[in-house]
Amino acid sequence: MSDLYCSDCKRMTEVVSDHSAGDTVCSECGLVLEARSIDESSEWRIFADDSGDHDPNRVGGPVNPLLGDAALSTVISRSANGSNADPSLSRLQNRGGDPDRAIVFAFKTIANMADRLSLVTTIKDRASEIYKRLEDQKCTRGRNLEALVAACIYIACRQEGKPRTVKEICSIVSGATKKEIGRAKEFIVKQLKVEMGESMEMGTIHAGDYLRRFCSNLGMSNEEVKAVQETVQKAGDFDIRRSPISIAAAIIFMITQLSDSKKPLRDISIATTVAEGTIKNAYRDLYPHAAKIIPEWYAKDRDLKNLSSPKA
């Protein structure tokens, strides 16, 4: 019990807390001083004996609908001295094993990779769902786990409209090469096509999908980013037969040549994970259309002759 000021008694009185109703009641006049109050203390209860074990855990992990029985399980706890109270129960539990152990490990790997790539939760959940469908087909055994997980993340990013390049994903994977991730991607698409009876929707990649991230990596100004975005949109009206990522890198190179803070081709190559030779080839195709695709508001104060010749 504690003391609070009672407006009826006009003084400090002892109060009683009714935790079931969330009410605070004056012990002398019965006035409800607070109603439906929120208990801000710890929600857990301690199921520990007097041995000094103060483990506050009262619940298991979060429910995961992708796992069997929604990831609910029973674990036989140990006694105070660290040994099982009944060895036979421990043997039975170990004998049963955990059928979801492999897929739980895969989900943790997906979560770790998604965190390192700064991906949103929806992409992580989509990648987990794709892997779960592969696991249900019993086709993951004997395959490189990291390559499969990386391919699931690549597909999930494309499906969610936030594509990442294979090189970006490969940079945070230690146990798989770019070629292995590419093969794993083709394998997943083929397997899910068999499951659905139709081609798997991967989502279309556009050059504009990469711009924000690439421009941010290069520290470009808002004016430069806006110019790059408008240039990419206008470039879509021309038949530039290059990959979206190489077009994006070449346009960033083109716009930065007209700005005060010129970016070396090497820095653009590192930020976009596109080879310098590939950027040069895409720039050569874009150069004849420079006057038509670069926004007038950006080019009017700048001389397009400052653009380097693709032959140089």
Side-chain angles (χ1 to χ4, degrees):
M1 298 177 67
S2 58
D3 292 347
L4 284 179
Y5 181 80
C6 177
S7 58
D8 273 8
C9 300
K10 305 297 183 182
R11 60 188 176 86
M12 298 292 290
T13 62
E14 288 189 347
V15 295
V16 178
S17 298
D18 184 356
H19 297 289
S20 61
D23 296 339
T24 302
V25 184
C26 175
S27 62
E28 296 191 9
C29 67
L31 177 67
V32 177
L33 302 179
E34 293 182 9
R36 299 185 181 279
S37 58
I38 299 175
D39 184 5
E40 297 179 352
S41 60
S42 299
E43 69 162 344
W44 53 64
R45 295 157 57 194
I46 300 177
F47 294 95
D49 53 21
D50 297 329
S51 62
D53 183 7
H54 299 293
D55 183 8
N57 296 321
R58 74 172 186 87
V59 293
V63 174
N64 190 338
L66 296 178
L67 298 177
D69 297 326
L72 299 176
S73 61
T74 300
V75 177
I76 301 174
S77 63
R78 296 178 177 271
S79 62
N81 57 9
S83 61
N84 289 307
D86 188 347
S88 62
L89 292 178
S90 177
R91 287 196 299 270
L92 289 174
Q93 183 178 18
N94 294 333
R95 185 180 302 171
D98 184 3
D100 293 326
R101 182 181 302 172
I103 194 169
V104 167
F105 180 76
F107 288 168
K108 289 182 179 179
T109 305
I110 289 174
N112 290 336
M113 289 186 182
D115 290 341
R116 295 180 65 183
L117 289 169
S118 300
L119 301 178
V120 296
T121 305
T122 53
I123 295 178
K124 181 178 68 175
D125 293 342
R126 177 63 65 90
S128 298
E129 180 185 346
I130 293 172
Y131 187 88
K132 171 64 174 174
R133 289 161 64 182
L134 290 174
E135 186 72 21
D136 290 342
Q137 294 186 27
K138 308 296 183 183
C139 60
T140 60
R141 185 183 296 271
R143 296 190 174 272
N144 188 330
L145 174 64
E146 291 205 26
L148 284 177
V149 166
C152 289
I153 291 177
Y154 174 82
I155 296 173
C157 288
R158 288 189 57 172
Q159 290 183 339
E160 293 295 325
K162 304 292 182 182
R164 293 291 192 273
T165 64
V166 177
K167 283 186 178 180
E168 285 181 288
I169 295 177
C170 188
S171 66
I172 55 101
V173 177
S174 58
T177 64
K178 179 182 175 182
K179 182 178 292 186
E180 289 175 328
I181 295 174
R183 290 174 178 171
K185 182 200 70 174
E186 298 299 328
F187 169 75
I188 292 172
V189 172
K190 180 179 178 181
Q191 288 298 127
L192 297 187
K193 180 180 179 180
V194 172
E195 177 193 14
M196 296 184 298
E198 57 185 8
S199 298
M200 182 181 179
E201 182 60 40
M202 288 276 287
T204 304
I205 296 179
H206 303 282
D209 296 334
Y210 302 103
L211 291 182
R212 281 286 182 183
R213 192 165 68 258
F214 290 166
C215 292
S216 176
N217 293 341
L218 289 166
M220 298 174 65
S221 65
N222 292 333
E223 183 185 33
E224 292 170 339
V225 173
K226 183 179 179 182
V228 169
Q229 290 175 327
E230 293 186 16
T231 304
V232 167
Q233 291 178 352
K234 293 182 179 181
D237 298 333
F238 298 90
D239 186 19
I240 310 297
R241 300 186 179 182
R242 298 286 176 180
S243 67
I245 187 174
S246 59
I247 292 176
I251 288 177
I252 290 175
F253 176 62
M254 180 180 291
I255 293 299
T256 55
Q257 288 186 76
L258 301 176
S259 66
D260 296 332
S261 57
K262 293 180 173 59
K263 305 292 183 183
L265 181 60
R266 176 175 175 80
D267 290 353
I268 296 176
S269 174
I270 294 173
T272 60
T273 67
V274 180
E276 294 183 28
T278 304
I279 297 176
K280 289 180 179 179
N281 292 335
Y283 178 78
R284 183 184 299 113
D285 294 344
L286 291 166
Y287 181 79
H289 311 293
K292 297 180 181 179
I293 62 178
I294 296 178
E296 293 182 3
W297 62 266
Y298 188 79
K300 66 180 180 180
D301 296 332
R302 300 166 176 83
D303 191 354
L304 293 182
K305 293 181 181 179
N306 291 333
L307 291 175
S308 61
S309 172
K311 297 180 181 180

